[in-house]
């Protein structure tokens, strides 16, 4: 089984001034996330990577580039899930050919399948590939939400090995308690990293790790080694950043805030593609305060 580690970063996609993928900056960002921010794994073309506005060709180019540039220094998970089962199967197969280490499959959005429809969707994709699969349950974006029971059914499929869970803490605890050995739960909310570890999660698929990965790793390792008070102090210190990247000073679509923060830190990742728009002046002032 592939070990995705404890700290997984959902990587932004750097764009140049024309709004095209900036390959030089993509290379620099991968180096930075692995070497400076201590990411175990990178998710390429997830929500934070602006997957809705990347073409299929761009996604495959990104998967190929990330695998080659990371060169084994971290694992690469390809965001291949869509709300079309057939399209998801096709992209997952192509990603597998490129040598990625796993696939992230989001709950189908907009078409609102029921639990049986979601089970069959993920089952069909998983059985079409040998890649390890991480499910992605994010009800705030997809409306439809995987139930605990459906996730546990899917966990019986041999290559469905993890879930990125953004449902309430109770569901994280229920999955962690009843899932087969080796199936891992990852929090999908930075602010819930420590609470979810406490109820059985394995790690975090993070946005804030672009900025505070080393501190997040320290927090995780402190908790795992029994230094609970140290972990709590680090969580308290990081909480304004965790929350602020999504509420700057009112809810800001991801990855607007983290891209601005990275640019402020000297990593030229560019802006966002429409329909997202750059941070306003007020939002920029707030984000800078988080970095101070």
């Amino acid at each position: 089984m592939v070990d995705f580690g404890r700290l997984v970063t959902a990587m932004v996609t750097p764009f140049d001034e024309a709004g095209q993928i900036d390959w030089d900056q993509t290379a620099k960002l991968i180096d930075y996330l692995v070497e400076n921010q201590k990411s175990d794994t990178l998710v390429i073309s997830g929500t934070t990577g602006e997957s809705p506005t990347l073409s299929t060709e761009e996604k495959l180019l990104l998967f190929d580039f990330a695998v080659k540039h990371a060169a084994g220094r971290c694992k690469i998970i390809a965001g291949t899930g869509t709300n079309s089962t057939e399209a998801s199967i096709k992209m997952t197969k192509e990603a597998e050919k490129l040598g990625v280490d796993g696939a992230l499959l989001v709950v189908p959005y907009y078409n609102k399948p029921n639990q049986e429809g979601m089970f069959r969707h993920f089952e069909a994709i998983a059985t079409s590939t040998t890649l390890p699969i991480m499910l992605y349950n994010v009800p705030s974006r997809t409306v439809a939400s995987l139930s605990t029971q459906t996730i546990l059914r899917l966990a019986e499929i041999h290559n469905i090995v993890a879930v990125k869970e953004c449902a309430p803490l109770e569901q994280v605890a229920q999955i962690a308690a009843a899932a087969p050995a080796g199936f891992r739960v990852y929090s999908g909310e930075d602010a819930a990293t420590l609470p979810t570890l406490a109820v059985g999660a394995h790690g975090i698929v993070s946005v804030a790790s672009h900025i505070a990965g080393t501190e997040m790793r320290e927090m995780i390792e402190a908790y795992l080694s029994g230094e609970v008070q140290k972990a709590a102090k680090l969580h308290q210190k990081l909480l304004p950043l965790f929350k602020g990247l999504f509420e700057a000073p009112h809810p800001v679509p991801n990855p607007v805030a983290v891209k601005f923060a990275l640019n402020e830190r000297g990593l030229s990742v560019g802006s966002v593609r429409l329909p997202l728009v750059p941070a306003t002046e007020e939002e920029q002032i707030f984000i800078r305060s988080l970095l101070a």
Side-chain angles (χ1 to χ4, degrees), residues 157-260:
I157 298 172
H158 74 94
N159 61 328
I160 296 182
V161 300
V163 61
K164 176 185 176 184
E165 184 59 84
C166 298
L169 192 65
E170 179 182 356
Q171 180 152 314
V172 173
Q174 290 170 340
I175 298 165
F183 184 85
R184 290 172 172 171
V185 184
Y186 287 81
S187 174
E189 303 281 355
D190 283 310
T193 304
L194 187 57
T196 54
L197 287 174
V199 297
H202 184 75
I204 174 71
V205 180
S206 174
V207 175
S209 55
H210 284 88
I211 306 299
T214 52
E215 293 91 339
M216 293 180 72
R217 177 169 290 285
E218 184 182 2
M219 177 181 71
I220 292 168
E221 290 179 352
Y223 175 79
L224 294 173
S225 66
E227 298 179 88
V228 177
Q229 290 301 318
K230 178 181 177 181
K233 290 293 184 184
L234 286 165
H235 174 82
Q236 292 158 8
K237 177 185 175 183
L238 291 168
L239 190 58
L241 177 68
F242 292 159
K243 302 292 286 184
L245 287 176
F246 295 88
E247 302 171 7
H250 47 75
V252 175
N254 181 40
V256 173
V258 71
K259 274 194 152 182
F260 179 79

Side-chain angles (χ1 to χ4, degrees), residues 8 27 53 85 96 130 135 141 170 176 222 228 232 236 243 245 248:
V8 179
T53 56
T85 307
E96 183 173 5
T130 62
L135 308 171
R141 289 185 178 272
E170 179 182 356
V228 177
Q236 292 158 8
K243 302 292 286 184
L245 287 176

Side-chain angles (χ1 to χ4, degrees), residues 121-132:
H121 169 82
F122 291 118
E123 179 187 43
I125 302 168
T127 55
S128 76
T129 182
T130 62
L131 286 176

Side-chain angles (χ1 to χ4, degrees), residues 4-10 40-43 77 186 204-206 209:
F4 295 128
R6 302 280 183 176
L7 183 64
V8 179
T9 297
D40 295 310
T41 294
L42 302 179
V43 173
I77 295 177
Y186 287 81
I204 174 71
V205 180
S206 174
S209 55

Side-chain angles (χ1 to χ4, degrees), residues 77-92:
I77 295 177
T80 61
T82 72
N83 62 347
S84 163
T85 307
E86 183 179 355
S88 302
I89 289 172
K90 184 176 180 180
M91 196 185 309
T92 302

